[in-house]
Amino acid sequence: MILLKYIITIENTLKSVISHEFAKRYGHNYLDINSYDALNNDKTRLRDIKGLFNTIKRTIKKGIKENEYIKYYNSNYSEIPFWVVINDLSFGNIVGLYNIMYEELKSSISNEFKMNSSEFYKSLRVLHFFRNLAAHNQRTFDSKATEKIEINEIHKEFKLSESSFDDVMSVIIICKKILEKKDYDNFIFEFFIP
């Protein structure tokens, strides 16, 4: 539950950064294919983009029935801002969204977290894996993510072996890189002090 709490903290920060950076470049055009990198009309990428569009449309449709803030924007404005919609997207949706963005936008988002876009995407995939385990009360201490984080200065600082790229220790490393110092200190205290 401690892992989940702090991964959700990162998720909420990520949603804010993505919606802000996206809106600076594309306004409310989150359902415009030109706002995403279709990789020269690559079929798999186009399928991913259309899948995201369908998810967003379902999220809005459901939100109009169930969420006051989406109802409000739907009733009072001609469009629902991305910063409103993004709050109802899952972490997996957010990771997928990040993956289909243009490199320039990915870089501007990852720079906010002091990482390059490749390192950041791998970190998001690891966080997503452990978030799902934690959210479903599954064992995390001996689990291995399908993605591996890149070696970084924290591996050296903690004198870690190469085994800390896809395990729960990789989550601690990501949290050290991404969380505010106060949040990271609280996370470590809660995680290691019984």
Side-chain angles (χ1 to χ4, degrees):
M1 297 315 294
I2 295 166
L3 282 178
L4 182 60
K5 174 182 173 181
Y6 288 96
I7 292 172
I8 288 173
T9 300
I10 292 169
E11 178 182 348
N12 290 335
T13 303
L14 176 62
K15 287 178 177 182
S16 294
V17 170
I18 285 177
S19 62
H20 176 74
E21 292 298 321
F22 187 94
K24 279 196 322 192
R25 284 173 177 72
Y26 304 109
H28 299 303
N29 296 321
Y30 52 86
L31 290 175
D32 181 348
I33 198 159
N34 297 314
S35 299
Y36 304 94
D37 188 357
L39 298 175
N40 296 318
N41 293 319
D42 176 77
K43 288 181 184 182
T44 302
R45 181 56 68 97
L46 288 171
R47 187 187 71 230
D48 291 346
I49 294 170
K50 288 176 184 175
L52 174 71
F53 289 176
N54 289 335
T55 298
I56 291 172
K57 289 173 187 176
R58 281 193 309 274
T59 299
I60 291 170
K61 187 175 181 179
K62 181 178 178 189
I64 289 170
K65 295 176 186 174
E66 299 175 6
N67 298 337
E68 291 303 317
Y69 51 92
I70 291 180
K71 281 184 200 177
Y72 173 81
Y73 276 93
N74 186 57
S75 298
N76 296 299
Y77 299 95
S78 60
E79 57 194 0
I80 301 170
F82 195 40
W83 64 267
V84 172
V85 174
I86 203 168
N87 287 318
D88 281 6
L89 296 178
S90 73
F91 193 39
N93 296 146
I94 298 302
V95 174
L97 171 68
Y98 180 81
N99 186 45
I100 62 174
M101 292 177 171
Y102 284 103
E103 186 57 39
E104 181 184 329
L105 181 54
K106 285 186 199 179
S107 291
S108 110
I109 292 165
S110 64
N111 287 340
E112 292 288 322
F113 297 95
K114 298 173 181 65
M115 292 188 200
N116 66 51
S117 60
S118 170
E119 177 187 17
F120 189 60
Y121 179 64
K122 290 174 183 177
S123 296
L124 292 179
R125 299 260 327 258
V126 169
L127 288 176
H128 179 241
F129 176 84
F130 280 97
R131 183 204 187 283
N132 284 349
L133 288 179
H136 297 286
N137 292 319
Q138 294 179 355
R139 207 164 63 187
T140 57
F141 72 89
D142 64 349
S143 296
K144 301 278 188 189
T146 54
E147 185 70 64
K148 293 182 182 221
I149 63 171
E150 296 178 6
I151 191 165
N152 59 56
E153 69 282 357
I154 298 168
H155 283 90
K156 295 170 189 162
E157 178 186 334
F158 289 168
K159 298 180 175 123
L160 296 170
S161 71
E162 292 186 17
S163 63
S164 298
F165 294 104
D166 60 358
D167 59 6
V168 74
M169 191 64 190
S170 64
V171 176
I172 294 168
I173 291 167
I174 296 165
C175 286
K176 182 162 177 58
K177 286 190 74 106
I178 293 180
L179 287 171
E180 297 286 329
K181 183 179 180 342
K182 182 183 88 170
D183 288 332
Y184 177 74
D185 291 344
N186 289 337
F187 167 59
I188 292 302
F189 180 79
E190 291 177 40
F191 196 75
F192 288 107
I193 309 295

